[in-house]
Amino acid sequence: MSLKSQSKDAKTNPRGIPYAPFVDKVEDYVSSRAEVDGTMKSFQEMISKYQFMEVNTQRRAGGLKEKIPDIQKTLDMVQFLKSRKVQPARSLYGSFMRGHSFMSQPGSDPIETTFELNDTLYAKAVVPPTDEVYLWLGANVMLSYPVAEAETLLESKLSTAQQSLENCEEDLDFLREQITTLEVATARVYNWEVTMKRKDKAGHGEDPADGEKRILPNG
């Protein structure tokens, strides 16, 4: 069985990452010692690809871990203002909403609070009643939403981000398993070659220990 033919029919995880080949019988992958180097090189190339995907997935998971608390904080603010029937044009906290455009509602008391201008600078503000919020969507884009729609949107974004983080963590576990599988496969092919080499030397009356100095990749 060649690696190329197997790769076409390889199973994948839910995100489309292929399973690494499991080498139970080396003879299914290597028919002669002449194929050992090519097979081990293929395994090392696959390990490098999995490691590359692992680094990218770790980076994506790190970004989500920073993003989720910001979304949650913004959602909490919108829900708080909704419960008070006082909604500012943009959240006083979090990275999604900034600014203060308001629509008055008679009978609602304004809220005095502080909001973040940057990482170390805060300002006081009095928030009068309003019916809408302005969500900062990024890329210099800000849109106005009724409070109920803003809450729905933020809940959706939070759910999506949490699911993405869960997928990243599953993929990281999966990628580590595939790397381990390939490292074991590499060792099995190496050991098979050593065994074949000993048999060949024994058949020619040579010392089987001579020449067994191949260094395993990453070893």
Side-chain angles (χ1 to χ4, degrees):
M1 180 189 301
S2 68
L3 293 176
K4 290 184 178 179
S5 62
Q6 190 190 48
S7 63
K8 295 180 181 178
D9 303 324
K11 295 193 305 179
T12 65
N13 80 341
R15 262 71 61 191
I17 303 175
Y19 281 82
F22 178 75
V23 178
D24 186 20
K25 295 177 61 177
V26 176
E27 291 80 2
D28 291 338
Y29 295 85
V30 179
S31 58
S32 68
R33 286 175 55 193
E35 298 179 1
V36 169
D37 286 340
T39 300
M40 294 182 69
K41 182 179 179 181
S42 296
F43 287 160
Q44 288 305 305
E45 289 175 351
M46 284 189 281
I47 288 175
S48 296
K49 291 178 181 179
Y50 282 124
Q51 290 173 334
F52 177 76
M53 287 187 283
E54 182 182 20
V55 170
N56 286 340
T57 304
Q58 287 174 336
R59 187 179 298 115
R60 186 164 63 253
L64 288 167
K65 288 178 180 178
E66 293 179 359
K67 182 180 180 181
I68 287 173
D70 286 342
I71 301 175
Q72 182 65 65
K73 187 184 296 184
T74 303
L75 177 59
D76 290 343
M77 175 57 67
V78 170
Q79 290 174 335
F80 168 74
L81 294 169
K82 179 182 178 181
S83 69
R84 296 277 306 235
K85 294 186 178 180
V86 178
Q87 291 85 20
R90 301 175 75 184
S91 172
L92 305 182
Y93 303 102
S95 62
F96 268 68
M97 301 189 291
R98 303 172 186 169
H100 327 284
S101 176
F102 306 96
M103 296 177 60
S104 297
Q105 292 180 354
S108 297
D109 295 329
I111 300 174
E112 182 175 338
T113 185
T114 58
F115 64 98
E116 183 179 355
L117 295 177
N118 60 35
D119 291 340
T120 59
L121 182 61
Y122 291 79
K124 289 185 177 180
V126 176
V127 183
T130 182
D131 287 328
E132 63 181 1
V133 295
Y134 285 86
L135 299 187
W136 183 257
L137 303 179
N140 296 322
V141 176
M142 179 179 67
L143 293 177
S144 171
Y145 290 89
V147 173
E149 290 185 19
E151 182 182 20
T152 300
L153 176 63
L154 290 169
E155 287 175 339
S156 175
K157 285 183 174 293
L158 180 61
S159 176
T160 299
Q162 290 172 334
Q163 183 61 55
S164 295
L165 179 58
E166 182 179 337
N167 291 343
C168 284
E169 291 173 344
E170 290 180 0
D171 287 345
L172 285 172
D173 289 339
F174 178 81
L175 288 166
R176 295 185 186 109
E177 289 176 1
Q178 305 321 300
I179 291 172
T180 299
T181 297
L182 285 168
E183 289 173 344
V184 172
T186 300
R188 286 182 173 176
V189 172
Y190 169 78
N191 291 336
W192 180 88
E193 183 191 22
V194 170
T195 301
M196 293 298 102
K197 191 179 295 184
R198 285 176 176 172
K199 289 181 179 179
D200 290 346
K201 290 183 177 180
H204 291 83
E206 300 178 18
D207 185 353
D210 291 343
E212 294 178 6
K213 294 183 178 180
R214 176 195 288 270
I215 299 177
L216 273 171
N218 298 327

